[in-house]
């Protein structure tokens, strides 16, 4: 049986690049530098799917829910249309708030629980509860970098692997927003790229001395014979569109 596909609703990208969409259940990195519209794209994917009746959950650890909603409204996306099918889990209220929740988990456990482990229990518990109650099928975490800092991974590879497997066991398709690592970054800092099922890279490419063009590239997508070429990424009238980059 063919695996179900999740559309990104980027015009020219699902069919032209992904051969239909992202395989359901994949964990996909949306990776790029600041200003490449990573968060906007992640929300747009969940928003467009929610409009088609596929519920999602957007987890924000850096930007407050109010700020996020104001931002997407400026993009022409009407979040009120999907308020029931695309809730926002706001964990942006600072490390003290998260540590307070983690401390309560430690007390309830009755044992010495490392703060990062307790916080992971809080996060997973909240997501599991929403999964049971609302049955979301798409999950976005914004951002992986903020989550990793808060969780204080002691063994980065092992804990990244365990978290990615936990996401897959949820039975949902996950998008992890992530900053592009610096050039020359040690391989040990790139476990998420090896462990992810897909990578969509966003960047700003210079086209002249004074102008830049936003680009998107699918560098990895398991089970898909994807087009790995660079594509221009445009955003107009509330929609993303991709076209093959020239030059």
């Amino acid at each position: 049986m063919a695996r179900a596909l999740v559309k990104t609703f980027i015009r020219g990208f699902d069919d032209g690049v992904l051969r239909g969409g992202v395989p359901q259940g994949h964990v996909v990195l949306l990776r790029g530098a600041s200003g490449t519209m990573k968060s906007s794209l992640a929300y747009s994917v969940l928003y467009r799917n929610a409009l088609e009746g596929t519920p999602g959950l957007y987890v924000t650890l850096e930007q407050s829910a109010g700020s996020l909603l104001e931002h997407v409204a400026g993009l022409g996306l009407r979040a009120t249309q999907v308020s029931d099918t695309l809730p926002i889990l706001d964990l942006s209220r600072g490390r003290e708030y998260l540590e307070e929740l983690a401390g309560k988990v430690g007390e309830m456990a009755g044992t010495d629980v490392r703060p990062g482990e307790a916080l992971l229990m809080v996060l997973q518990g909240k997501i599991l509860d929403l999964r049971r109650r609302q049955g979301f099928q798409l999950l976005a975490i914004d951002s992986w970098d903020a989550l990793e800092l808060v969780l204080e991974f002691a063994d980065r590879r092992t804990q990244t692997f365990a978290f990615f497997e936990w996401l897959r066991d949820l039975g949902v398709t996950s998008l992890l927003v992530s900053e592009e690592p610096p050039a020359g970054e040690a391989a040990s800092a790139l476990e998420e790229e090896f462990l992810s099922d897909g990578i969509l890279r966003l960047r700003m490419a210079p086209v002249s001395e004074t102008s830049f063009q936003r680009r998107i590239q699918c560098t990895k997508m398991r089970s898909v014979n994807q087009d790995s070429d660079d594509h221009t990424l445009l955003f107009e009238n509330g929609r993303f569109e991709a076209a093959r980059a020239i030059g």
Side-chain angles (χ1 to χ4, degrees):
M1 180 183 296
R3 194 169 189 174
L5 300 174
V6 175
K7 291 188 176 297
T8 66
F9 289 96
I10 305 171
R11 289 174 179 159
F13 196 75
D14 287 321
D15 293 331
V17 175
L18 298 178
R19 316 308 183 197
V22 175
Q24 194 174 67
H26 269 21
V27 177
V28 178
L29 290 176
L30 290 183
R31 187 148 250 184
S34 178
T36 54
M37 298 188 76
K38 301 183 299 295
S39 297
S40 301
L41 179 58
Y43 187 87
S44 175
V45 172
L46 269 63
Y47 173 81
R48 295 293 169 192
N49 276 278
L51 287 176
E52 297 293 322
T54 301
L57 173 66
Y58 197 98
V59 180
T60 175
L61 289 104
E62 297 180 274
Q63 190 175 16
S64 70
S67 176
L68 175 64
L69 290 173
E70 183 179 350
H71 172 70
V72 299
L75 297 176
L77 308 183
R78 299 180 180 179
T80 53
Q81 292 184 317
V82 295
S83 55
D84 292 334
T85 50
L86 181 52
I88 298 172
L89 177 56
D90 187 348
L91 298 177
S92 67
R93 283 180 279 170
R95 187 174 182 82
E96 287 118 9
Y97 166 72
L98 296 173
E99 287 180 343
E100 180 183 347
L101 291 178
K104 291 179 181 178
V105 170
E107 291 175 9
M108 292 170 60
T111 58
D112 291 332
V113 179
R114 192 172 60 83
E117 293 174 351
L119 178 57
L120 180 59
M121 293 168 65
V122 169
L123 175 69
Q124 291 177 331
K126 285 181 174 290
I127 291 175
L128 282 170
D129 181 56
L130 287 167
R131 172 75 168 142
R132 282 191 296 267
R133 288 194 286 118
Q134 300 186 350
F136 64 85
Q137 298 176 39
L138 298 176
L139 171 67
I141 296 179
D142 188 1
S143 68
W144 167 251
D145 310 270
L147 179 63
E148 187 181 5
L149 282 174
V150 171
L151 294 183
E152 299 177 336
F153 285 165
D155 182 344
R156 193 176 190 277
R157 183 175 183 81
T158 299
Q159 289 172 273
T160 299
F161 175 81
F163 186 74
F164 278 35
E165 286 302 294
W166 181 80
L167 289 175
R168 293 186 182 99
D169 288 343
L170 277 177
V172 303
T173 305
S174 305
L175 304 178
L176 303 183
V177 176
S178 175
E179 288 291 314
E180 184 70 42
E185 187 80 20
S188 61
L190 299 175
E191 279 92 1
E192 63 270 26
E193 294 203 358
F194 296 109
L195 296 172
S196 67
D197 300 303
I199 304 172
L200 301 182
R201 278 197 154 84
L202 286 80
R203 66 186 180 91
M204 298 297 290
V207 293
S208 72
E209 291 185 0
T210 58
S211 62
F212 291 79
Q213 189 178 76
R214 189 170 285 109
R215 300 282 180 86
I216 185 170
Q217 181 185 21
C218 180
T219 58
K220 176 182 181 181
M221 193 61 66
R222 286 177 181 152
S223 305
V224 173
N225 181 26
Q226 84 275 8
D227 180 347
S228 297
D229 289 346
D230 237 0
H231 285 71
T232 302
L233 183 65
L234 305 173
F235 185 81
E236 294 180 347
N237 301 319
R239 287 186 174 273
F240 283 96
E241 182 173 353
R244 189 172 298 278
I246 299 175

